[in-house]
Amino acid sequence: MEATRMAQAHGYNGLNIRDLASAVGIKAASVYHHFAGKADLGAAVAKRYWEDSEATLQAMLEELGDPLACLRRYPDTFRKALGRDNRICLCSFMAAETDDLPDPIKLEVRKFAEVNITWLKQVLTAADSVPSDQSVIRAQAIFAAVAGAQLIARSRCDIAVYDQLIAGYISAGLIPS
């Protein structure tokens, strides 16, 4: 959890094994016992992040049962990070650092995008919101728009900006309501 918090604030470069160990009250050697280095730690953190996100999305679908309600609630999954000290999605942050990431982390970051786009495609199809041949491109557009809204809101330290952008996406029909 602490490693996720660090990465959400500072990206991959913000993951420092000694700082992490200090923050959780253990010795750096204990972290190195589990992770050979920063790249292994980063990949594990990103993997856990997409796995948790996938579980959250599936739980939402099971809980609500209504695909349109799920589409309306989807932006809330990104909003939560902004509400925690103006953080952003860990994988969005790391995606912006792609050129500097080790390959194992790139794979996990891409998996996060795939999980979100696949879920959105599934929900869009179930809601019969778009023709099936357009569901992937719409899912990609929603994912990119929501992640982008989060980035803009973070840069302004204003969660209200996020809410306004999401309302605009709904009003324009990008996110079905």
Side-chain angles (χ1 to χ4, degrees), residues 56-107:
T56 296
L57 293 172
Q58 291 308 323
M60 181 193 319
L61 189 55
E62 290 170 15
E63 173 193 332
L64 297 177
D66 176 6
L68 284 176
C70 289
L71 289 168
R72 285 189 295 270
R73 192 177 290 174
Y74 176 74
D76 293 346
T77 64
F78 283 75
R79 190 181 193 280
K80 289 178 185 175
L82 287 167
R84 286 189 222 118
D85 299 323
N86 199 40
R87 303 284 189 241
I88 64 169
C89 166
L90 173 130
C91 288
S92 294
F93 204 138
M94 288 185 169
E97 303 176 298
T98 295
D99 290 348
D100 299 324
L101 294 178
D103 288 339
I105 299 174
K106 288 179 189 178
L107 291 173

Side-chain angles (χ1 to χ4, degrees), residues 70-152:
C70 289
L71 289 168
R72 285 189 295 270
R73 192 177 290 174
Y74 176 74
D76 293 346
T77 64
F78 283 75
R79 190 181 193 280
K80 289 178 185 175
L82 287 167
R84 286 189 222 118
D85 299 323
N86 199 40
R87 303 284 189 241
I88 64 169
C89 166
L90 173 130
C91 288
S92 294
F93 204 138
M94 288 185 169
E97 303 176 298
T98 295
D99 290 348
D100 299 324
L101 294 178
D103 288 339
I105 299 174
K106 288 179 189 178
L107 291 173
E108 302 302 340
V109 169
R110 287 183 192 128
K111 181 67 176 177
F112 175 80
E114 290 169 16
V115 161
N116 277 266
I117 292 165
T118 298
W119 184 86
L120 284 164
K121 178 186 176 286
Q122 172 190 358
V123 174
L124 286 164
T125 301
D128 202 25
S129 301
V130 296
S132 60
D133 64 336
Q134 295 175 18
S135 61
V136 171
I137 194 71
R138 176 67 71 90
Q140 291 170 334
I142 292 170
F143 175 69
V146 171
Q150 188 185 53
L151 183 62
I152 291 169

Side-chain angles (χ1 to χ4, degrees), residues 82 86-88 144-165 169:
L82 287 167
N86 199 40
R87 303 284 189 241
I88 64 169
V146 171
Q150 188 185 53
L151 183 62
I152 291 169
R154 182 174 196 251
S155 73
R156 296 196 171 114
C157 298
D158 188 353
I159 200 166
V161 170
Y162 181 80
D163 295 337
Q164 291 166 353
L165 289 167
Y169 299 154

Side-chain angles (χ1 to χ4, degrees), residues 3-15:
T4 299
R5 189 192 66 73
M6 292 169 75
Q8 283 181 306
H10 306 288
Y12 175 66
N13 290 327
L15 280 178

